[in-house]
């Protein structure tokens, strides 16, 4: 019996390793949150940028979705911000986002007046000149983030998740904590992670059944 368990454990290790790789890829995407907001609301969004390569991320370009209007941003130490039409760029004037790190950028947008999904296309520039385009459909290798815009429930032009900026364009610590808590609650998981989990579990079960049958024979 101990020998059987050792065989099953030996099969489970590579399956678990594969699952961890898929999970790491799924969590390393450039994302915009929250995933839900209200029509016409002034929403403070969070752009989260991890560096997936062994070199630094030095620039991120974000396209504001059609129907939405960019309003303002929070200054981030070590980064310059430019706005050109519907393109907002964060450009490093220091070391950028190093390997194994991530950076959050905060900005306020007035949502479209009509309900529906809006897509956030982002373009991540690395120090070696390469660019990763986060503009694919959900489930692709480089998907864009989606925010579902619902009909406003009334009671003002700001959604429940939006944070009013101070007069100097910055946020208080309470506002930061509220945004990060909302981001954690609303962040979505890529379908690839569930697919990888299902494949790993199925492979493990089939291998265990095969070993048990072999032992009986």
């Amino acid at each position: 019996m101990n020998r059987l368990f050792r065989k099953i454990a030996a099969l489970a290790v590579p399956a678990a390793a594969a699952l961890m790789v898929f999970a790491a890829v799924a969590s390393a995407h450039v994302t915009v949150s929250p995933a839900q907001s209200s029509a016409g609301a002034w929403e403070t969004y969070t752009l989260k940028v991890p560096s997936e390569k062994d070199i630094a991320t030095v620039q991120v370009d974000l396209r504001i979705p059609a129907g939405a209007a960019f309003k303002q941003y929070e200054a981030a130490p070590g980064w310059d911000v430019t706005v050109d039409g519907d393109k907002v760029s964060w450009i490093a004037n220091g070391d950028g986002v190093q390997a194994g790190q991530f950076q959050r950028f905060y900005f306020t947008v007035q949502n479209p007046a009509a309900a529906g999904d809006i897509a956030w296309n982002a373009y991540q520039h690395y120090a070696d000149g390469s660019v990763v385009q986060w503009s694919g459909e959900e489930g692709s290798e480089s998907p864009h983030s989606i925010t579902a815009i619902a009909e406003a429930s009334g009671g003002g032009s700001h959604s429940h998740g939006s944070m009013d900026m101070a007069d100097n364009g910055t946020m208080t610590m309470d506002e930061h904590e509220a945004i990060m808590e909302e981001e954690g609650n609303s962040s979505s998981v890529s379908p690839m992670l569930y697919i990888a989990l299902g494949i790993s579990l199925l492979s493990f079960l089939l291998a265990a059944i095969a070993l048990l049958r072999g032992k009986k024979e």
Side-chain angles (χ1 to χ4, degrees), residues 1-187:
M1 182 63 69
N2 290 336
R3 183 180 179 184
L4 177 62
F5 281 128
R6 285 197 297 270
K7 288 182 178 180
I8 294 176
L11 290 171
V13 169
L19 178 60
M20 291 177 66
V21 169
F22 273 103
V25 172
S27 63
H29 295 166
V30 170
T31 58
V32 175
S33 61
Q36 294 181 336
S37 191
S38 300
W42 285 49
E43 183 72 69
T44 295
Y45 288 96
T46 303
L47 172 64
K48 185 177 180 181
V49 182
S51 260
E52 298 177 297
K53 298 185 178 182
D54 293 331
I55 52 178
T57 294
V58 295
Q59 180 174 335
V60 182
D61 301 327
L62 181 69
R63 294 287 182 174
I64 304 302
F70 180 81
K71 295 299 181 180
Q72 51 191 178
Y73 64 91
E74 182 189 23
W79 296 83
D80 297 323
V81 180
T82 63
V83 181
D84 182 12
D86 67 346
K87 184 176 77 171
V88 183
S89 300
W90 286 264
I91 305 168
N93 55 38
D95 295 333
V97 186
Q98 299 297 308
Q101 300 178 352
F102 66 86
Q103 175 78 43
R104 287 189 177 101
F105 302 103
Y106 302 97
F107 61 97
T108 300
V109 162
Q110 184 174 15
N111 292 331
D117 292 346
I118 57 175
W120 303 92
N121 292 330
Y123 303 85
Q124 184 175 14
H125 300 254
Y126 285 91
D128 64 353
S130 61
V131 180
V132 177
Q133 299 185 28
W134 299 97
S135 57
E137 298 298 324
E138 185 177 4
S140 65
E141 293 184 357
S142 54
H144 50 208
S145 289
I146 298 291
T147 297
I149 304 298
E151 291 290 350
S153 58
S157 61
H158 287 67
S159 75
H160 68 279
S162 40
M163 295 291 137
D164 290 329
M165 293 280 189
D167 291 340
N168 60 1
T170 62
M171 295 182 192
T172 66
M173 183 58 68
D174 289 341
E175 290 173 338
H176 271 296
E177 292 175 353
I179 290 173
M180 285 187 282
E181 180 180 357
E182 183 177 83
E183 179 182 355
N185 292 335
S186 64
S187 58

